[in-house]
Amino acid sequence: MLLEAVRSSFFTMIEAFKKERPDTSELAAADPTSRLHRTYLWRTLTSDDTGEELRAQALRAFRRGFRIGRRGKPRTLTRPIPPVLKPPFGWGAAPELPGPSAARDRAIRALPPPANREELASREQELRALYASAWQEDVPEEDGIWAAMYRDTCTMSINYHWRRALAQSAYEGYLQSSDGRFGGEPARPWANLSHHASEPWCSFMDRVEGAPEGESDLATAEAAVWEYWDTLYREAPPWDSDPDQAHWLAALRAARRKAQADDGPPEMDE
């Protein structure tokens, strides 16, 4: 029954991928059963040497990946932003994009260092005008891919930092409520958390920001805590008997205060 459910979900995911990207050639056309049997998940679930704890974690990881794939990016990463005229760090490291604007972008950024302030100002002005064109509604067709990539890169970069800032506020709100303890242990400052430890707080915030209109704080906190533990591929403690319920609610409210206090995305160019 369990393996059949995994098989059915995997095939559904493959079919959705084919519809979304019909030109993906050999990978999408390969026999789905053969692809499934080569996955780490399937080999883990069907091996007699796999312990029950690892089997449960692998299944939760698959369930979470499947659910995220169906849901798409959360609002915390897709929130609309005003036009940005200065690209984020790393822009230009992507594969070469087509179109005259992309070519001009590459050419300017490949120039040697400017000889004086006037040349620097002129170059920056030209780049700002170029990036401003990416946000116009009437982008020429030949520049469409470059413009879309620029907008998406700016949106993801700014919202990534906004999402992390909200997650930090939630974490610190929790610690203020719990006298600096998490999981029964003294908690480290946010800056000292690993990605593995901080990412669940981002998932917590995804659910808080995506809460349906009219949902109570208690219901939102319960669902957000479930997301927190699901990110770690672990079952959440029963909410009704969770001794940390008050701390989770404090985390939710601290993050919402932070979101309401923000005037807009950081590092925004006029």
Side-chain angles (χ1 to χ4, degrees):
M1 181 76 72
L2 172 62
L3 293 180
E4 186 57 37
V6 170
R7 188 198 311 271
S8 176
S9 297
F10 185 85
F11 290 171
T12 300
M13 183 171 59
I14 293 296
E15 289 303 314
F17 179 76
K18 288 180 181 179
K19 291 178 181 178
E20 182 179 345
R21 302 182 62 184
D23 58 343
T24 47
S25 65
E26 297 179 3
L27 186 61
D31 174 45
T33 300
S34 176
R35 289 184 61 186
L36 171 63
H37 290 176
R38 291 197 303 270
T39 63
Y40 171 78
L41 170 70
W42 188 262
R43 288 185 281 112
T44 299
L45 294 178
T46 56
S47 173
D48 294 335
D49 297 329
T50 302
E52 287 304 313
E53 183 176 355
L54 178 58
R55 196 187 306 273
Q57 288 181 346
L59 189 60
R60 290 191 190 108
F62 174 78
R63 179 186 64 185
R64 180 167 183 78
F66 181 78
R67 192 164 56 86
I68 290 175
R70 295 287 296 273
R71 180 182 64 195
K73 293 177 182 176
R75 178 185 177 276
T76 49
L77 292 178
T78 58
R79 180 185 59 148
I81 64 171
V84 177
L85 307 185
K86 183 178 180 180
F89 178 79
W91 170 251
E96 193 169 289
L97 299 172
S101 290
R104 185 58 185 155
D105 187 9
R106 287 193 299 273
I108 296 174
R109 288 186 286 104
L111 291 172
N116 49 55
R117 292 184 178 178
E118 289 76 15
E119 185 178 343
L120 173 62
S122 175
R123 193 179 300 180
E124 288 180 344
Q125 183 177 0
E126 184 174 359
L127 280 174
R128 288 170 67 89
L130 185 66
Y131 295 134
S133 71
W135 299 91
Q136 296 175 358
E137 294 184 2
D138 57 345
V139 174
E141 184 177 353
E142 60 269 24
D143 287 329
I145 295 177
W146 169 83
M149 178 67 76
Y150 180 77
R151 294 193 304 269
D152 290 348
T153 300
C154 292
T155 300
M156 281 292 294
S157 176
I158 286 177
N159 281 337
Y160 171 81
H161 292 292
W162 182 67
R163 179 181 186 239
R164 297 278 301 177
L166 296 185
Q168 179 178 351
S169 294
Y171 178 71
E172 292 173 349
Y174 184 105
L175 297 188
Q176 288 176 5
S177 174
S178 66
D179 293 327
R181 301 180 71 84
F182 184 80
E185 302 287 340
R188 292 177 292 173
W190 175 263
N192 293 346
L193 294 184
S194 66
H195 177 80
H196 177 77
S198 62
E199 187 60 23
W201 287 99
C202 292
S203 296
F204 177 92
M205 278 312 310
D206 291 341
R207 181 56 180 83
V208 171
E209 282 296 299
E213 185 176 355
E215 185 176 67
S216 68
D217 282 359
L218 198 64
T220 299
E222 179 180 3
V225 170
W226 189 93
E227 290 287 350
Y228 175 95
W229 290 111
D230 195 55
T231 306
L232 297 170
Y233 311 139
R234 293 169 57 184
E235 292 290 345
W239 177 249
D240 291 340
S241 58
D242 189 343
D244 298 326
Q245 190 177 114
H247 309 324
W248 289 115
L249 281 166
L252 178 151
R253 289 163 182 159
R256 282 186 167 164
R257 286 194 298 270
K258 168 68 175 175
Q260 292 170 0
D262 279 349
D263 293 328
E267 302 176 9
M268 189 64 61
D269 284 273
E270 298 294 338

